[in-house]
Amino acid sequence: MENKIGKNRISPKNENDYIAAYIKENPAAKRQDGMDIAAVITKDGTRGHGLLPEDINRSHDKDYHRIKDFITDNKLKKNF
């Protein structure tokens, strides 16, 4: 997993499936560290999920931020 620059996007209808798959790939995401698993899109247009601070994720802004431990949606779909 790597860090990327991206922004929030609207969560897909099956967001719970993506979150479960993300936790399978990155079990450290479950810890209580002030980070949310967020649906994001990178600057190059790749859709995926990663960790964002709670205040940024919940603000629904359209600014670019550093996304920790980014995983593409295509990779997560394999774990549904």
Side-chain angles (χ1 to χ4, degrees):
M1 290 170 279
E2 58 187 310
N3 297 340
K4 296 276 189 173
I5 301 296
K7 60 183 177 179
N8 283 330
R9 66 179 171 97
I10 296 173
S11 297
K13 292 185 190 300
N14 58 344
E15 179 70 2
N16 290 334
D17 293 334
Y18 280 104
I19 289 173
Y22 187 90
I23 290 171
K24 281 184 192 175
E25 288 286 322
N26 184 12
K30 290 192 325 188
R31 70 178 164 223
Q32 299 295 321
D33 59 359
M35 302 289 273
D36 280 345
I37 299 170
V40 295
I41 187 166
T42 63
K43 274 192 165 184
D44 68 3
T46 305
R47 292 178 179 267
H49 284 72
L51 300 175
L52 279 175
E54 291 173 354
D55 59 334
I56 292 173
N57 185 45
R58 296 175 188 181
S59 72
H60 303 290
D61 68 12
K62 296 297 179 190
D63 297 330
Y64 285 96
H65 304 281
R66 181 173 311 280
I67 300 158
K68 286 185 61 181
D69 300 338
F70 177 80
I71 303 173
T72 65
D73 281 355
N74 288 337
K75 185 172 183 178
L76 293 175
K77 284 180 188 177
K78 295 175 185 174
N79 288 323
F80 282 13

